[in-house]
Amino acid sequence: MAKGIIFFCQNCGYESSKWMGQCPGCKEWNTFVEEAVPKKGTGAKSRLGKERSVPVTLKEIELKEEERISTGIGELDRVLGGGIVAGSLILVGGDPGIGKSTLLLQVCRNLANDHHDVMYISGEESLKQIKLRARRIGEFKDTLTLFCETNLADIEEVVKAKKPEVVIIDSIQTMYNENISAAPGSVSQVRESTGTLMMLAKTLGIAIFIVGHVTKEGVVAGPRVLEHMVDTVLYFEGDRHASYRILRGVKNRFGSTNEIGVFEMQGNGLREVANPSEFMLNGKPVGASGSVVTCSLEGTRPILVEIQALVSDTTFQIPRRTTVGIDFNRVNLLLAVLEKRAGMQLGGCDAYVNLTGGMRLSEPSIDLAVVAAVISSYRNTVIDEHTIIFGEVGLTGEVRGVAQAEVRIKEAEKMGFTRCIVPKSNYEGIMANGKPGIDIVGVAGVVELAEVL
């Protein structure tokens, strides 16, 4: 093997000194490509362009609150932790056509109208294409600068000369470094381009947004180290053929993670949804079996969502199991618990479980609602539309407590629900702090839940 040559996995970014048929990282076949590794320069300065640092004690470090720039979009500010931090590097990932560029162009408009210097650098669209998209959003002030370029050296030169407050890179897969022989979008190009942008952000104090494409598995394309290098990782989720969009923060060095923002795609751009619970419950059927409302905690925000289940006699030798928005294996586990602990004969039934509104939830607190929806559909009985259910279910059929039950109950009370079925352990703590404004019912197991329903 020639010196300076290394093999990268195109799917996950795994590095190897030799070619392998199967990637040890993601288990995909025939994804390794050969790329040249540029020689690293040596010097007295660190990667961020500063002089060598010296060790200091904890007491010598002075703390001050980070100054944040509001984007003018409340839902985005919530996910970012209160606004844009100067010198931060933010990665925005999502499927093609989901609205990443539209959202960031709206951010540019709000910042420019608030007299902030913003630069939008596009490697995918021409200036006229950006102008056409901007015309649908609204009027822009002159503090927004557009620049179409993919050469990272030219971009670095322009950014150092203009020194804007915020820079948008759309997208990182189109940028290339002349010192690297690999094609744009390759593992080494994405990694080195991100490293250069990180140096610009930290040395000049510029907030930089990076748009990243995602793979078929839903993760940002390129090396996995890309997510480790940036300060914040945001994922734009949702069906591009529907009107809803969900912005989820999976990493944030300046705020809490797992925060979400809900948007609705309209003709003039994305509109933020201030009350996601009302949005998610819009169109909920009345008097239908298999429909249950639960409350999930996304970051610090409680959101009410509807879970639907359909259980019917199968016409196949092996019953079908289908889930949308909920982990498939988790639903199979809950069906097995019902069959073993509650005596329900589900082995000859097809089971379909759907989470409405386009949400994807993995929190265990929705287990009890899934169980209730399956019981309701199996018995063909209707659960009162003003009832909300949440709790975690174990393999022995017990119902375990969940965190911040009081916050969930307050959200349910605000949305007009009159009855709440919760785990027994949460019930005791809630009643000890004073009786809430809605009826609280505690259950200890799935058998007791079946009797309550």
Side-chain angles (χ1 to χ4, degrees), residues 145-293:
T145 305
L146 300 179
F147 186 43
C148 290
E149 184 57 66
T150 57
N151 190 327
L152 206 59
D154 295 340
I155 292 173
E156 185 177 1
E157 183 180 346
V158 171
V159 170
K160 286 182 177 179
K162 296 286 186 180
K163 292 184 179 178
E165 296 179 66
V166 179
V167 174
I168 312 293
I169 304 292
D170 188 8
S171 65
I172 190 62
Q173 276 81 15
T174 61
M175 302 297 146
Y176 73 93
N177 191 327
E178 292 179 332
N179 297 326
I180 301 175
S181 59
S186 62
V187 172
S188 56
Q189 284 283 9
V190 170
R191 182 181 57 189
E192 294 301 322
S193 299
T194 305
T196 302
L197 293 172
M198 182 181 68
M199 182 186 66
L200 280 176
K202 303 303 180 185
T203 54
L204 302 178
I206 299 173
I208 300 180
F209 285 83
I210 299 175
V211 176
H213 298 307
V214 297
T215 62
K216 60 183 180 180
E217 288 80 16
V219 298
V220 176
R224 195 65 181 176
V225 72
L226 176 63
E227 296 188 12
H228 297 293
M229 294 171 66
V230 301
D231 298 310
T232 305
V233 179
L234 308 179
Y235 276 103
F236 221 22
E237 303 173 354
D239 187 354
R240 64 176 178 173
H241 301 294
S243 62
Y244 51 80
R245 301 287 188 273
I246 297 171
L247 183 67
R248 186 183 303 274
V250 297
K251 174 188 176 181
N252 193 352
R253 288 174 179 160
F254 306 108
S256 61
T257 57
N258 293 325
E259 287 284 358
I260 69 166
V262 183
F263 299 87
E264 183 181 6
M265 180 62 79
Q266 296 182 340
N268 59 348
L270 289 161
R271 180 185 69 86
E272 53 183 324
V273 178
N275 191 347
S277 296
E278 182 181 359
F279 180 74
M280 294 298 173
L281 296 179
N282 186 26
K284 181 181 179 299
V286 179
S289 63
S291 175
V292 177
V293 176

Side-chain angles (χ1 to χ4, degrees), residues 352-424:
Y352 307 90
V353 179
N354 175 40
L355 193 66
T356 62
M359 290 281 291
R360 294 187 182 94
L361 298 180
S362 58
E363 194 188 14
S365 65
I366 66 175
D367 288 353
L368 198 62
V370 173
V371 169
V374 171
I375 293 175
S376 172
S377 179
Y378 180 77
R379 294 177 173 177
N380 199 25
T381 58
V382 179
I383 298 176
D384 181 38
E385 61 178 352
H386 296 103
T387 299
I388 184 171
I389 303 173
F390 59 83
E392 181 182 354
V393 177
L395 288 180
T396 61
E398 84 281 7
V399 178
R400 297 175 174 268
V402 299
Q404 302 189 44
E406 292 83 359
V407 176
R408 304 170 196 259
I409 292 175
K410 286 181 181 179
E411 180 71 12
E413 189 176 354
K414 185 176 71 174
M415 293 301 297
F417 288 84
T418 58
R419 189 186 187 208
C420 187
I421 300 178
V422 302
K424 199 81 167 182

